[in-house]
Amino acid sequence: MSKYAFNEIEPKWQKYWEENKIFKVEEDPSIPKEKRLYILDMFPYPSAAGLHVGHPEGYTATDIWGRYKLMNGFNVLHPMGFDSFGLPAENYAIKTGTPPKVTTEQNIEHFIKQIKSLGFGYDWDREIRTHDEDYYHWTQWIFLQLFKKGLAYESQMPINWCPSCQTGLANEEVINGKCERCSTQVERRNIRQWVLKITAYADRLLEDLDNLDWPESVKAMQRNWIGRSEGANVTFEVADCDFNLEVYTTRPDTLFGATYMVVAPEHPLIDKMTSPEQKSAVNEYIKQAALKSDLERTDLAKSKTGVFSGAYGINPVNGKKIPIWVADYVLISYGSGAIMAVPAHDTRDWEFAKQFDLPIVEVLKGGDVQQKAYTEDGVHVNSDFLDGLGKKEAITKMIEWLEANKCGTKAVNYKLRDWIFSRQRYWGEPIPVLHTADGIVPVDDSELPITLPNVDSYEPSGTGESPLVNISEWVDVTYKGKAAKRETNTMPQWAGSCWYYLRYLDPKNKDRFVDPEKEKYWMPVDLYVGGAEHAVLHLLYARFWHKVLFDLGLVTTKEPFQKLVNQGMITSFAYQRKEGSLVPIDEVESPETDKYIEIATGEEVQQVVAKMSKSLKNVINPDDIISEFGADTMRLYEMFMGPLTVSKPWSTQGVVGVHRFLNRVWRASDWESTTKEAPKHLIKSLHKTIKKVSSDTENLEFNTAISQMMIFVNDLYKEEKLYTELWSQFLLLLSPYAPHLAEELWHKLGKTTSIAKEQWPSYEEDLTKEDTITLVLQINGKVRAKIDTEADIDKEQMLNIAKSNDRIKEFLEGKTIVKEIVVPGKLVNLVIK
Ligand code: ANZ
């Protein structure tokens, strides 16, 4: 008996696929559009840590699907590349002085080696790296298209600034208002930024979601992020001042309940309206508010703060004077940065009113507004011409009234903000514009790419600018004979991933970002698989760029990714409750993998899982699994763990189980072989398996497809003979899942071409049907029971079935059978006395 030597087999076939370019793909025009498939993985950031188990989860899924489709006659494009600009490489450079390019490329080599060791069928000729000059040439070019369309502009924007480190910080680097590195109180500072006008596409980004085959949860997150709301802008006069205050409200119907107003601490009119008595208190408050992040300011759990400005607004519907407060729960960046406060019907306003003892006036019946804000629908009261109306009609009526009286208009607002697109960092695409005596000008296309120069120090400049400002040979240029300076801000990490799926289509094109024919041939992406953490940023930014390119006539589809699938997270430390206590998942016989949740407080804990993380020392390294069990086991196990889209815990026992299955397949190949026809029951088992594996693979239900293959192999083991025809069909089914083993056993049958290029097997519907009959059981000629049983049973078995049937047994109790009548395949009649 030979040994399943996966560590010899696997590299051998990987080399064979690569050398024979088995997965190379071309634009074959004779293949119709519906037979072309573009399958995309979210390309990895090449971190120093290498691949983790989450990467192969998605990659195996797309690889199986791609191989399956290839065998079904599809022209399959399935590329891989690297999202290789990013902060970790730059931080490492600050620490060690090693240029980010060097570390990044080392990491990429490591990633490629690891990815290749899993036997994925990528067309490596199309590999891209976002930090390659040939790649970011076109990232810069696309930026210039946005710039020329007026969608990229410069603006002073408030950012988090650490006065001690002298640098801007990302939101994630601010902990409780303090710098993550030195614990200094972080300030908000206005810094010159490049901004992309994504808000110009808000409506289309929202509407076009409807036609996408994406998880509802991701669509919901994008809808929330865009946050479209409808309401009204209402103008309030400010008493004794010559200016008005505009507010945005989604509830103009509650205008009669407005008892005070609030402006954000950054509101431009504060200075003008604050009374002399309130001046110092207001100024002090503004200073404090500047230290807080938006998140802290809007946190519902935090108590409200504010200060009276000394000024009053005049409610346009009833002429009442209401105080204007300054409070940081109102953000300058939303609506008009000022609100009318209706404490009876808005939770934040209610809390504020309670805190500062401001009046609460009910205008909708339904709750006790002295106890709690009533935010549901109801019937209007205390509201003059709105009394008796419900919320919806009242909103419409109030907007009509406001418009007729010229003190308000219908308005739409979005939470979505324009996208701050510049970073004061080195390791990113330089923004390709010049600052000249005549203002900002784009560099000429012929000068692209504007490449990153070598620098000696990667430390931020200390003035909030990137390390590039110190490289005067690079920064100082001439433009039309006059001195000019290059832009030293670079693009954020998201830039390269906004369009990479287009570059795969034509990765070596020197003249264009993509050839239009190739774009038309492949787009849109038919299946995009990756983690759920990209629900908003990457997936929204890429849709935005794509729509801009669409408007410029540079791509032919409105959307880049037609179907999106989120893989579930692979977790660790799994325990499940069994007979009252929590036991490690490895010891639970059939764990309910779809039920794992993080610890639920308050209830009895049923399962416990933990994320894999370095600090918990529970990270599984794919390399270890591959060297101990092989890539095929790794692939199969990750697919067998549970449905692709659910989160599931790693189980070492599960890996062993799957490995045992592959070993059984291997050993079967050593059985005595025959070209004779296999017994009927095996043929039927095969056809059932082909049917189930085909439809499950089609629907990305890989775990159940694998179970079916296991059932088939169990059936084979009942005969222990290798029926070569049957066997070769099974190997075809196995090949997308365990491609190395299938390829090896395929060649062992004497085949000389790759199994990957064979045709997927088909089945006969008739042969997938169970051979069952309905057996009628009678007592003294009366029907007492009916049961389904296998068809080919003999008289003796029929009698046994009848006599052991529970219902029949009841009739037999205390009686004697005097006659047994058996009609084969149909009926048993027992005559009793
Ligand atoms: C009065 C009112 C009464 C409101 C009521 C709500 C309920 P969405 O739905 O998220 O768009 N608002 C407006 N601008 C704001 C700002 N810059 N900072 C903080 N809050 C602001 O939210 C719109 C509502 O949020 C607006 O409608 C306003 O409060 C508040 F029973 O006006 B409303």
Side-chain angles (χ1 to χ4, degrees), residues 227 229 248-251 254 329-342 345-346 348-349 413 415:
S229 75
Y248 171 69
T249 176
T250 45
R251 298 291 306 277
T254 63
Y329 77 100
V330 171
L331 302 176
I332 190 64
S333 52
Y334 190 63
S336 62
I339 65 158
M340 62 181 222
V342 184
H345 304 290
D346 180 275
R348 293 161 299 179
D349 298 345
N413 246 299
K415 293 235 161 63

PDB file of all heavy atoms in Angstrom, residues 227 229 248-251 254 329-342 345-346 348-349 413 415, ligand 1:
ATOM      1  N   GLY A 227     -26.596  57.865   4.380  1.00  0.00           N
ATOM      2  CA  GLY A 227     -27.507  58.532   5.313  1.00  0.00           C
ATOM      3  C   GLY A 227     -28.353  59.637   4.720  1.00  0.00           C
ATOM      4  O   GLY A 227     -28.347  60.770   5.190  1.00  0.00           O
ATOM      5  N   SER A 229     -31.464  61.812   4.282  1.00  0.00           N
ATOM      6  CA  SER A 229     -32.698  62.075   5.027  1.00  0.00           C
ATOM      7  C   SER A 229     -33.410  63.253   4.386  1.00  0.00           C
ATOM      8  O   SER A 229     -32.792  64.123   3.778  1.00  0.00           O
ATOM      9  CB  SER A 229     -32.409  62.345   6.505  1.00  0.00           C
ATOM     10  OG  SER A 229     -31.861  63.622   6.690  1.00  0.00           O
ATOM     11  N   TYR A 248     -31.566  72.687  10.039  1.00  0.00           N
ATOM     12  CA  TYR A 248     -32.081  71.572   9.253  1.00  0.00           C
ATOM     13  C   TYR A 248     -32.838  70.659  10.203  1.00  0.00           C
ATOM     14  O   TYR A 248     -32.335  70.315  11.277  1.00  0.00           O
ATOM     15  CB  TYR A 248     -30.946  70.792   8.580  1.00  0.00           C
ATOM     16  CG  TYR A 248     -31.444  69.515   7.945  1.00  0.00           C
ATOM     17  CD1 TYR A 248     -32.264  69.581   6.819  1.00  0.00           C
ATOM     18  CD2 TYR A 248     -31.147  68.264   8.482  1.00  0.00           C
ATOM     19  CE1 TYR A 248     -32.770  68.415   6.235  1.00  0.00           C
ATOM     20  CE2 TYR A 248     -31.649  67.098   7.907  1.00  0.00           C
ATOM     21  CZ  TYR A 248     -32.455  67.180   6.784  1.00  0.00           C
ATOM     22  OH  TYR A 248     -32.955  66.034   6.221  1.00  0.00           O
ATOM     23  N   THR A 249     -34.037  70.264   9.797  1.00  0.00           N
ATOM     24  CA  THR A 249     -34.810  69.338  10.628  1.00  0.00           C
ATOM     25  C   THR A 249     -35.505  68.291   9.766  1.00  0.00           C
ATOM     26  O   THR A 249     -35.963  68.592   8.663  1.00  0.00           O
ATOM     27  CB  THR A 249     -35.858  70.076  11.485  1.00  0.00           C
ATOM     28  OG1 THR A 249     -36.624  69.094  12.191  1.00  0.00           O
ATOM     29  CG2 THR A 249     -36.795  70.932  10.651  1.00  0.00           C
ATOM     30  N   THR A 250     -35.537  67.067  10.290  1.00  0.00           N
ATOM     31  CA  THR A 250     -36.305  66.023   9.609  1.00  0.00           C
ATOM     32  C   THR A 250     -37.746  66.037  10.110  1.00  0.00           C
ATOM     33  O   THR A 250     -38.585  65.329   9.601  1.00  0.00           O
ATOM     34  CB  THR A 250     -35.712  64.628   9.910  1.00  0.00           C
ATOM     35  OG1 THR A 250     -35.423  64.542  11.305  1.00  0.00           O
ATOM     36  CG2 THR A 250     -34.455  64.395   9.116  1.00  0.00           C
ATOM     37  N   ARG A 251     -37.982  66.842  11.128  1.00  0.00           N
ATOM     38  CA  ARG A 251     -39.327  66.866  11.730  1.00  0.00           C
ATOM     39  C   ARG A 251     -39.907  68.280  11.775  1.00  0.00           C
ATOM     40  O   ARG A 251     -40.244  68.799  12.850  1.00  0.00           O
ATOM     41  CB  ARG A 251     -39.252  66.288  13.156  1.00  0.00           C
ATOM     42  CG  ARG A 251     -38.789  64.833  13.237  1.00  0.00           C
ATOM     43  CD  ARG A 251     -39.835  63.885  12.653  1.00  0.00           C
ATOM     44  NE  ARG A 251     -41.151  64.067  13.250  1.00  0.00           N
ATOM     45  CZ  ARG A 251     -41.538  63.517  14.405  1.00  0.00           C
ATOM     46  NH1 ARG A 251     -40.724  62.752  15.085  1.00  0.00           N
ATOM     47  NH2 ARG A 251     -42.761  63.737  14.878  1.00  0.00           N
ATOM     48  N   THR A 254     -42.817  69.243  14.067  1.00  0.00           N
ATOM     49  CA  THR A 254     -42.730  69.493  15.515  1.00  0.00           C
ATOM     50  C   THR A 254     -42.372  70.940  15.848  1.00  0.00           C
ATOM     51  O   THR A 254     -42.033  71.252  16.991  1.00  0.00           O
ATOM     52  CB  THR A 254     -41.680  68.564  16.168  1.00  0.00           C
ATOM     53  OG1 THR A 254     -40.395  68.867  15.603  1.00  0.00           O
ATOM     54  CG2 THR A 254     -42.000  67.096  15.937  1.00  0.00           C
ATOM     55  N   TYR A 329     -23.237  68.669  21.130  1.00  0.00           N
ATOM     56  CA  TYR A 329     -23.930  67.527  20.532  1.00  0.00           C
ATOM     57  C   TYR A 329     -24.448  67.871  19.143  1.00  0.00           C
ATOM     58  O   TYR A 329     -24.889  66.991  18.400  1.00  0.00           O
ATOM     59  CB  TYR A 329     -25.014  66.946  21.463  1.00  0.00           C
ATOM     60  CG  TYR A 329     -26.335  67.701  21.566  1.00  0.00           C
ATOM     61  CD1 TYR A 329     -27.451  67.282  20.845  1.00  0.00           C
ATOM     62  CD2 TYR A 329     -26.479  68.776  22.426  1.00  0.00           C
ATOM     63  CE1 TYR A 329     -28.682  67.931  20.967  1.00  0.00           C
ATOM     64  CE2 TYR A 329     -27.699  69.428  22.545  1.00  0.00           C
ATOM     65  CZ  TYR A 329     -28.801  69.012  21.808  1.00  0.00           C
ATOM     66  OH  TYR A 329     -30.002  69.657  21.939  1.00  0.00           O
ATOM     67  N   VAL A 330     -24.367  69.137  18.801  1.00  0.00           N
ATOM     68  CA  VAL A 330     -24.658  69.530  17.420  1.00  0.00           C
ATOM     69  C   VAL A 330     -23.321  69.671  16.693  1.00  0.00           C
ATOM     70  O   VAL A 330     -22.387  70.306  17.186  1.00  0.00           O
ATOM     71  CB  VAL A 330     -25.465  70.840  17.391  1.00  0.00           C
ATOM     72  CG1 VAL A 330     -25.582  71.384  15.982  1.00  0.00           C
ATOM     73  CG2 VAL A 330     -26.852  70.590  17.971  1.00  0.00           C
ATOM     74  N   LEU A 331     -23.265  69.013  15.529  1.00  0.00           N
ATOM     75  CA  LEU A 331     -22.013  68.991  14.767  1.00  0.00           C
ATOM     76  C   LEU A 331     -22.046  70.039  13.666  1.00  0.00           C
ATOM     77  O   LEU A 331     -23.080  70.225  13.019  1.00  0.00           O
ATOM     78  CB  LEU A 331     -21.810  67.604  14.140  1.00  0.00           C
ATOM     79  CG  LEU A 331     -21.777  66.419  15.113  1.00  0.00           C
ATOM     80  CD1 LEU A 331     -21.667  65.116  14.346  1.00  0.00           C
ATOM     81  CD2 LEU A 331     -20.616  66.568  16.097  1.00  0.00           C
ATOM     82  N   ILE A 332     -20.916  70.658  13.448  1.00  0.00           N
ATOM     83  CA  ILE A 332     -20.859  71.699  12.413  1.00  0.00           C
ATOM     84  C   ILE A 332     -20.953  71.084  11.018  1.00  0.00           C
ATOM     85  O   ILE A 332     -21.400  71.704  10.064  1.00  0.00           O
ATOM     86  CB  ILE A 332     -19.571  72.565  12.558  1.00  0.00           C
ATOM     87  CG1 ILE A 332     -19.647  73.811  11.640  1.00  0.00           C
ATOM     88  CG2 ILE A 332     -18.314  71.771  12.246  1.00  0.00           C
ATOM     89  CD1 ILE A 332     -20.759  74.766  12.000  1.00  0.00           C
ATOM     90  N   SER A 333     -20.561  69.800  10.935  1.00  0.00           N
ATOM     91  CA  SER A 333     -20.440  69.178   9.624  1.00  0.00           C
ATOM     92  C   SER A 333     -21.751  68.636   9.072  1.00  0.00           C
ATOM     93  O   SER A 333     -21.797  68.101   7.983  1.00  0.00           O
ATOM     94  CB  SER A 333     -19.427  68.034   9.712  1.00  0.00           C
ATOM     95  OG  SER A 333     -19.782  67.184  10.791  1.00  0.00           O
ATOM     96  N   TYR A 334     -22.836  68.749   9.841  1.00  0.00           N
ATOM     97  CA  TYR A 334     -24.084  68.173   9.363  1.00  0.00           C
ATOM     98  C   TYR A 334     -25.158  69.246   9.232  1.00  0.00           C
ATOM     99  O   TYR A 334     -25.256  70.136  10.082  1.00  0.00           O
ATOM    100  CB  TYR A 334     -24.558  67.072  10.320  1.00  0.00           C
ATOM    101  CG  TYR A 334     -25.710  66.275   9.762  1.00  0.00           C
ATOM    102  CD1 TYR A 334     -25.542  65.515   8.607  1.00  0.00           C
ATOM    103  CD2 TYR A 334     -26.965  66.304  10.353  1.00  0.00           C
ATOM    104  CE1 TYR A 334     -26.604  64.801   8.071  1.00  0.00           C
ATOM    105  CE2 TYR A 334     -28.027  65.589   9.821  1.00  0.00           C
ATOM    106  CZ  TYR A 334     -27.838  64.841   8.683  1.00  0.00           C
ATOM    107  OH  TYR A 334     -28.880  64.137   8.145  1.00  0.00           O
ATOM    108  N   GLY A 335     -25.957  69.128   8.174  1.00  0.00           N
ATOM    109  CA  GLY A 335     -27.031  70.101   7.966  1.00  0.00           C
ATOM    110  C   GLY A 335     -26.446  71.501   7.931  1.00  0.00           C
ATOM    111  O   GLY A 335     -25.501  71.770   7.191  1.00  0.00           O
ATOM    112  N   SER A 336     -26.980  72.415   8.774  1.00  0.00           N
ATOM    113  CA  SER A 336     -26.441  73.779   8.788  1.00  0.00           C
ATOM    114  C   SER A 336     -25.637  74.035  10.053  1.00  0.00           C
ATOM    115  O   SER A 336     -25.266  75.170  10.332  1.00  0.00           O
ATOM    116  CB  SER A 336     -27.595  74.782   8.685  1.00  0.00           C
ATOM    117  OG  SER A 336     -28.433  74.620   9.813  1.00  0.00           O
ATOM    118  N   GLY A 337     -25.426  72.988  10.860  1.00  0.00           N
ATOM    119  CA  GLY A 337     -24.649  73.171  12.094  1.00  0.00           C
ATOM    120  C   GLY A 337     -25.452  73.860  13.183  1.00  0.00           C
ATOM    121  O   GLY A 337     -24.902  74.333  14.171  1.00  0.00           O
ATOM    122  N   ALA A 338     -26.781  73.916  12.976  1.00  0.00           N
ATOM    123  CA  ALA A 338     -27.659  74.530  13.981  1.00  0.00           C
ATOM    124  C   ALA A 338     -28.973  73.764  13.979  1.00  0.00           C
ATOM    125  O   ALA A 338     -29.374  73.233  12.952  1.00  0.00           O
ATOM    126  CB  ALA A 338     -27.920  76.001  13.624  1.00  0.00           C
ATOM    127  N   ILE A 339     -29.604  73.680  15.135  1.00  0.00           N
ATOM    128  CA  ILE A 339     -30.881  72.958  15.196  1.00  0.00           C
ATOM    129  C   ILE A 339     -31.933  73.743  15.963  1.00  0.00           C
ATOM    130  O   ILE A 339     -31.633  74.624  16.766  1.00  0.00           O
ATOM    131  CB  ILE A 339     -30.741  71.573  15.880  1.00  0.00           C
ATOM    132  CG1 ILE A 339     -30.350  71.711  17.356  1.00  0.00           C
ATOM    133  CG2 ILE A 339     -29.731  70.692  15.155  1.00  0.00           C
ATOM    134  CD1 ILE A 339     -30.702  70.495  18.195  1.00  0.00           C
ATOM    135  N   MET A 340     -33.199  73.363  15.682  1.00  0.00           N
ATOM    136  CA  MET A 340     -34.273  73.756  16.582  1.00  0.00           C
ATOM    137  C   MET A 340     -34.444  72.554  17.492  1.00  0.00           C
ATOM    138  O   MET A 340     -34.414  71.409  17.025  1.00  0.00           O
ATOM    139  CB  MET A 340     -35.553  74.024  15.790  1.00  0.00           C
ATOM    140  CG  MET A 340     -36.069  72.795  15.034  1.00  0.00           C
ATOM    141  SD  MET A 340     -37.559  73.168  14.112  1.00  0.00           S
ATOM    142  CE  MET A 340     -38.560  71.716  14.412  1.00  0.00           C
ATOM    143  N   ALA A 341     -34.541  72.765  18.792  1.00  0.00           N
ATOM    144  CA  ALA A 341     -34.600  71.634  19.709  1.00  0.00           C
ATOM    145  C   ALA A 341     -36.039  71.390  20.153  1.00  0.00           C
ATOM    146  O   ALA A 341     -36.737  72.325  20.556  1.00  0.00           O
ATOM    147  CB  ALA A 341     -33.710  71.890  20.912  1.00  0.00           C
ATOM    148  N   VAL A 342     -36.451  70.133  20.021  1.00  0.00           N
ATOM    149  CA  VAL A 342     -37.810  69.748  20.393  1.00  0.00           C
ATOM    150  C   VAL A 342     -37.704  68.653  21.456  1.00  0.00           C
ATOM    151  O   VAL A 342     -37.767  67.470  21.155  1.00  0.00           O
ATOM    152  CB  VAL A 342     -38.591  69.234  19.157  1.00  0.00           C
ATOM    153  CG1 VAL A 342     -40.034  68.925  19.536  1.00  0.00           C
ATOM    154  CG2 VAL A 342     -38.511  70.225  18.010  1.00  0.00           C
ATOM    155  N   HIS A 345     -39.835  65.400  21.751  1.00  0.00           N
ATOM    156  CA  HIS A 345     -39.856  64.344  20.725  1.00  0.00           C
ATOM    157  C   HIS A 345     -38.495  63.975  20.158  1.00  0.00           C
ATOM    158  O   HIS A 345     -38.415  63.311  19.129  1.00  0.00           O
ATOM    159  CB  HIS A 345     -40.842  64.760  19.614  1.00  0.00           C
ATOM    160  CG  HIS A 345     -42.204  65.046  20.165  1.00  0.00           C
ATOM    161  ND1 HIS A 345     -43.020  64.060  20.665  1.00  0.00           N
ATOM    162  CD2 HIS A 345     -42.859  66.228  20.381  1.00  0.00           C
ATOM    163  CE1 HIS A 345     -44.141  64.619  21.141  1.00  0.00           C
ATOM    164  NE2 HIS A 345     -44.065  65.936  20.981  1.00  0.00           N
ATOM    165  N   ASP A 346     -37.444  64.423  20.798  1.00  0.00           N
ATOM    166  CA  ASP A 346     -36.102  64.041  20.364  1.00  0.00           C
ATOM    167  C   ASP A 346     -35.295  63.700  21.619  1.00  0.00           C
ATOM    168  O   ASP A 346     -35.224  64.504  22.555  1.00  0.00           O
ATOM    169  CB  ASP A 346     -35.431  65.184  19.597  1.00  0.00           C
ATOM    170  CG  ASP A 346     -34.038  64.785  19.135  1.00  0.00           C
ATOM    171  OD1 ASP A 346     -33.076  64.931  19.934  1.00  0.00           O
ATOM    172  OD2 ASP A 346     -33.919  64.303  17.992  1.00  0.00           O
ATOM    173  N   ARG A 348     -32.025  63.346  22.299  1.00  0.00           N
ATOM    174  CA  ARG A 348     -30.877  64.172  22.693  1.00  0.00           C
ATOM    175  C   ARG A 348     -31.337  65.512  23.259  1.00  0.00           C
ATOM    176  O   ARG A 348     -30.822  66.003  24.267  1.00  0.00           O
ATOM    177  CB  ARG A 348     -29.952  64.409  21.480  1.00  0.00           C
ATOM    178  CG  ARG A 348     -29.266  63.158  21.007  1.00  0.00           C
ATOM    179  CD  ARG A 348     -28.770  63.308  19.593  1.00  0.00           C
ATOM    180  NE  ARG A 348     -29.891  63.567  18.663  1.00  0.00           N
ATOM    181  CZ  ARG A 348     -29.753  63.751  17.365  1.00  0.00           C
ATOM    182  NH1 ARG A 348     -28.554  63.717  16.818  1.00  0.00           N
ATOM    183  NH2 ARG A 348     -30.805  63.961  16.602  1.00  0.00           N
ATOM    184  N   ASP A 349     -32.352  66.112  22.606  1.00  0.00           N
ATOM    185  CA  ASP A 349     -32.877  67.393  23.074  1.00  0.00           C
ATOM    186  C   ASP A 349     -33.516  67.240  24.460  1.00  0.00           C
ATOM    187  O   ASP A 349     -33.405  68.117  25.319  1.00  0.00           O
ATOM    188  CB  ASP A 349     -33.926  67.939  22.100  1.00  0.00           C
ATOM    189  CG  ASP A 349     -33.343  68.209  20.712  1.00  0.00           C
ATOM    190  OD1 ASP A 349     -32.095  68.248  20.595  1.00  0.00           O
ATOM    191  OD2 ASP A 349     -34.122  68.363  19.749  1.00  0.00           O
ATOM    192  N   ASN A 413     -30.736  65.904   3.091  1.00  0.00           N
ATOM    193  CA  ASN A 413     -29.393  65.931   3.659  1.00  0.00           C
ATOM    194  C   ASN A 413     -28.753  64.558   3.611  1.00  0.00           C
ATOM    195  O   ASN A 413     -29.452  63.554   3.583  1.00  0.00           O
ATOM    196  CB  ASN A 413     -29.463  66.384   5.110  1.00  0.00           C
ATOM    197  CG  ASN A 413     -28.787  67.710   5.294  1.00  0.00           C
ATOM    198  OD1 ASN A 413     -27.580  67.826   5.044  1.00  0.00           O
ATOM    199  ND2 ASN A 413     -29.548  68.709   5.693  1.00  0.00           N
ATOM    200  N   LYS A 415     -25.521  62.087   5.328  1.00  0.00           N
ATOM    201  CA  LYS A 415     -24.465  61.961   6.334  1.00  0.00           C
ATOM    202  C   LYS A 415     -23.113  61.887   5.645  1.00  0.00           C
ATOM    203  O   LYS A 415     -22.087  62.257   6.206  1.00  0.00           O
ATOM    204  CB  LYS A 415     -24.657  60.678   7.135  1.00  0.00           C
ATOM    205  CG  LYS A 415     -25.894  60.708   7.995  1.00  0.00           C
ATOM    206  CD  LYS A 415     -25.563  60.410   9.456  1.00  0.00           C
ATOM    207  CE  LYS A 415     -26.661  60.876  10.357  1.00  0.00           C
ATOM    208  NZ  LYS A 415     -27.934  60.185  10.133  1.00  0.00           N
TER     209      LYS A 415
HETATM  210  C1  ANZ B   1     -36.023  68.924  15.192  1.00  0.00           C
HETATM  211  C2  ANZ B   1     -36.403  67.557  15.566  1.00  0.00           C
HETATM  212  C3  ANZ B   1     -37.497  67.128  16.266  1.00  0.00           C
HETATM  213  C4  ANZ B   1     -35.486  66.643  15.101  1.00  0.00           C
HETATM  214  C5  ANZ B   1     -37.647  65.784  16.465  1.00  0.00           C
HETATM  215  C6  ANZ B   1     -35.591  65.290  15.291  1.00  0.00           C
HETATM  216  C7  ANZ B   1     -36.682  64.867  16.002  1.00  0.00           C
HETATM  217  P1  ANZ B   1     -31.090  62.696  10.640  1.00  0.00           P
HETATM  218  O1  ANZ B   1     -32.419  62.011  10.705  1.00  0.00           O
HETATM  219  O2  ANZ B   1     -29.981  61.846  11.130  1.00  0.00           O
HETATM  220  O3  ANZ B   1     -30.833  63.356   9.326  1.00  0.00           O
HETATM  221  N1  ANZ B   1     -29.769  67.703  13.579  1.00  0.00           N
HETATM  222  C8  ANZ B   1     -29.776  68.469  12.481  1.00  0.00           C
HETATM  223  N2  ANZ B   1     -28.533  68.972  12.249  1.00  0.00           N
HETATM  224  C9  ANZ B   1     -27.748  68.488  13.229  1.00  0.00           C
HETATM  225  C10 ANZ B   1     -26.380  68.665  13.552  1.00  0.00           C
HETATM  226  N3  ANZ B   1     -25.590  69.439  12.800  1.00  0.00           N
HETATM  227  N4  ANZ B   1     -25.882  68.030  14.627  1.00  0.00           N
HETATM  228  C11 ANZ B   1     -26.688  67.266  15.403  1.00  0.00           C
HETATM  229  N5  ANZ B   1     -27.981  67.079  15.148  1.00  0.00           N
HETATM  230  C12 ANZ B   1     -28.526  67.693  14.083  1.00  0.00           C
HETATM  231  O4  ANZ B   1     -31.114  63.830  11.760  1.00  0.00           O
HETATM  232  C13 ANZ B   1     -31.744  65.051  11.522  1.00  0.00           C
HETATM  233  C14 ANZ B   1     -32.141  65.591  12.869  1.00  0.00           C
HETATM  234  O5  ANZ B   1     -30.959  65.685  13.664  1.00  0.00           O
HETATM  235  C15 ANZ B   1     -32.727  66.959  12.744  1.00  0.00           C
HETATM  236  O6  ANZ B   1     -34.141  66.937  12.976  1.00  0.00           O
HETATM  237  C16 ANZ B   1     -32.171  67.683  13.952  1.00  0.00           C
HETATM  238  O7  ANZ B   1     -33.103  67.427  14.974  1.00  0.00           O
HETATM  239  C17 ANZ B   1     -30.875  66.979  14.219  1.00  0.00           C
HETATM  240  F1  ANZ B   1     -38.718  65.356  17.146  1.00  0.00           F
HETATM  241  O8  ANZ B   1     -34.938  68.787  14.267  1.00  0.00           O
HETATM  242  B1  ANZ B   1     -34.405  67.400  14.314  1.00  0.00           B
END
